[in-house]
Amino acid sequence: MKFGSTTVNEAYAVSMMLIELLFILIAYHICTFSKEEKPKKGKLDFLPLNTVTTGLFFLFILIIATNRSFLHKLSFVWDIATYLKLKISGDLENVSPLVSIMFPVMRAYIVLFIFSLINSFKLKQGTKLMLSILVVLINATIIVGISRFSIVYASFPLILLLIYFYPAYRKKVVTYTSVFFGLILMVASLAKFSGNTKNADVGGFFTLHQLNAYFGGVANYAIGYDSYEKNMVNPFDKYYYFISDITQNIPVLSKFSNDNYKTNIKFNNHIYGAGRSRDQIVPVSVAGLYHFSKYFFYIYIFVLTVLAFRFETKAYTANSPVLFFLYIILAFGCSTSMMINIGSLSATLFINLVVFIPFFTMINKLNLAK
């Protein structure tokens, strides 16, 4: 499997994954067998085209357009090579972490506003839907860095919203978008795994090594446990690892993060011998080893699974498309935690729960009051 072939801890890695499944099942039962009354589903409608929503639309466009260093991270899926050249050459400027974290929400809001604008046109429902799908597909061709996951992350909730907005066309929405997204992900993968010196290899991104790397496979768990043992993490260090990992991508709070206590650096250093120049995904339970010990590594997967179910419930009871998007993003992020570093996930949770959800809840109340 390229990496992890020399480990002697594969049995423990498999045990970790089985214990994870057990705690996911426990979380599922806790969330689905609750005696609480099921909340009523919210009524989702398009954004009202008023001064507040229009002002936010232009403000978000302005913020993105004026951050040139961040714009260099954006490219079309068929032109990833340009970004890779800039990254390898070291010509990329430092990007504001705040803009990076805010971008998915600003991007989604811009698309939602365009949905609402299209809905205001005097056109047939089928025509409105096709125009809206076209907007989603154009949005999906823009990739952040080389992260193909950002394509799914940015588009999946929007497709759910289109199903809500146009329930009579549910099958068409699913069919058209599924085919197109399959093609987009294929093009993005070909561009990523092709370079100036080699031809595109379609099979390259379906190898066991790639699947293991992107989806937190058993080899990554074994390597994570190897690195945990090698670094001899004592009980007093766990606090520092926890603080450094959780705060590393959160603006202002990142000053409490220390490179000497970051699991992604230790993990990547164990694989490549270069912790800062590589950034392979660290399974959350490997971070759990460093933070809670080998006896309580499953805490993260349990908590995140509970949160995923809770956020999903909140999404389907929301009465604002923006709040629906935010809660679905949080549910999606928590349920795909094997594909996201704990630092990125904590930043997403922080910025949405502390900033965006309160902000758009207030905006929604203002719109309802009008």
Side-chain angles (χ1 to χ4, degrees):
M1 304 229 358
K2 193 171 182 179
F3 298 118
S5 58
T6 59
T7 186
V8 295
N9 290 310
E10 65 272 13
Y12 184 80
V14 173
S15 300
M16 286 177 69
M17 299 178 87
L18 291 173
I19 292 170
E20 276 186 342
L21 288 173
L22 174 63
F23 276 90
I24 288 171
L25 183 64
I26 292 170
Y28 170 75
H29 282 292
I30 289 173
C31 294
T32 56
F33 288 97
S34 172
K35 293 182 179 179
E36 296 177 10
E37 288 187 17
K38 290 185 177 180
K40 294 180 180 179
K41 284 191 175 183
K43 185 181 182 301
L44 289 177
D45 205 350
F46 294 93
L47 291 173
L49 300 177
N50 55 32
T51 306
V52 175
T53 55
T54 305
L56 283 175
F57 172 73
F58 285 110
L59 174 63
F60 289 157
I61 289 178
L62 183 65
I63 291 172
I64 295 170
T66 53
N67 279 269
R68 293 184 180 180
S69 56
F70 180 76
L71 289 175
H72 288 150
K73 288 190 69 175
L74 303 179
S75 58
F76 289 106
V77 292
W78 53 82
D79 194 31
I80 295 176
T82 302
Y83 170 78
L84 286 172
K85 287 177 183 176
L86 285 172
K87 185 176 182 179
I88 292 170
S89 65
D91 291 335
L92 286 176
E93 299 176 30
N94 290 327
V95 177
S96 165
L98 186 61
V99 175
S100 296
I101 296 170
M102 289 174 61
F103 177 71
V105 177
M106 294 190 293
R107 173 183 187 169
Y109 185 88
I110 291 167
V111 173
L112 287 172
F113 185 86
I114 296 172
F115 282 174
S116 304
L117 197 61
I118 291 171
N119 183 61
S120 69
F121 298 155
K122 292 181 179 180
L123 299 169
K124 293 181 179 179
Q125 286 292 94
T127 306
K128 290 179 181 179
L129 172 62
M130 293 310 296
L131 288 173
S132 297
I133 288 177
L134 181 62
V135 172
V136 173
L137 299 182
I138 292 171
N139 177 61
T141 61
I142 301 171
I143 189 170
V144 181
I146 55 175
S147 173
R148 290 162 296 162
F149 187 62
S150 68
I151 298 172
V152 180
Y153 198 74
S155 306
F156 176 69
L158 296 175
I159 294 168
L160 288 181
L161 279 168
L162 286 182
I163 292 171
Y164 258 96
F165 294 151
Y166 302 97
Y169 296 91
R170 180 190 182 99
K171 287 185 178 179
K172 287 187 177 180
V173 171
V174 173
T175 302
Y176 294 155
T177 54
S178 297
V179 172
F180 192 84
F181 280 118
L183 292 172
I184 283 182
L185 290 171
M186 182 71 74
V187 169
S189 298
L190 287 170
K192 180 175 180 177
F193 288 98
S194 304
N196 296 326
T197 59
K198 62 178 181 179
N199 296 322
D201 178 13
V202 178
F205 48 88
F206 290 123
T207 62
L208 284 176
H209 163 58
Q210 296 298 342
L211 293 174
N212 175 74
Y214 289 121
F215 298 98
V218 68
N220 270 18
Y221 278 67
I223 294 167
Y225 187 73
D226 290 345
S227 69
Y228 171 72
E229 284 197 322
K230 180 183 176 181
N231 287 292
M232 295 183 291
V233 182
N234 65 59
F236 298 103
D237 287 341
K238 294 184 187 300
Y239 167 79
Y240 297 109
Y241 277 106
F242 175 80
I243 294 297
S244 293
D245 285 341
I246 294 296
T247 63
Q248 62 181 310
N249 291 325
I250 301 175
V252 181
L253 295 181
S254 59
K255 67 181 181 180
F256 296 108
S257 186
N258 185 333
D259 281 359
N260 293 322
Y261 295 98
K262 288 183 180 177
T263 55
N264 61 321
I265 290 179
K266 301 291 184 182
F267 180 83
N268 282 275
N269 189 59
H270 192 82
I271 301 176
Y272 307 107
R276 289 171 176 79
S277 61
R278 302 290 188 127
D279 193 23
Q280 189 161 315
I281 300 300
V282 183
V284 291
S285 288
V286 170
L289 285 172
Y290 279 85
H291 299 171
F292 308 118
S293 84
K294 63 182 180 180
Y295 302 108
F296 299 103
F297 64 86
Y298 47 81
I299 288 176
Y300 277 133
I301 204 72
F302 173 73
V303 171
L304 291 172
T305 303
V306 170
L307 287 176
F309 284 120
R310 294 300 186 193
F311 288 141
E312 184 189 26
T313 301
K314 292 289 288 183
Y316 289 115
T317 56
N319 55 3
S320 160
V322 183
L323 290 174
F324 176 90
F325 178 91
L326 291 171
Y327 281 121
I328 284 292
I329 279 294
L330 291 176
F332 194 53
C334 289
S335 61
T336 54
S337 54
M338 73 294 292
M339 299 170 64
I340 309 172
N341 280 323
I342 192 67
S344 299
L345 187 53
S346 65
T348 300
L349 287 167
F350 179 86
I351 200 72
N352 283 292
L353 292 174
V354 176
V355 179
F356 280 123
I357 287 177
F359 175 73
F360 282 109
T361 298
M362 181 185 67
I363 294 295
N364 188 47
K365 287 180 179 179
L366 287 175
N367 287 328
L368 290 174
K370 290 183 180 182

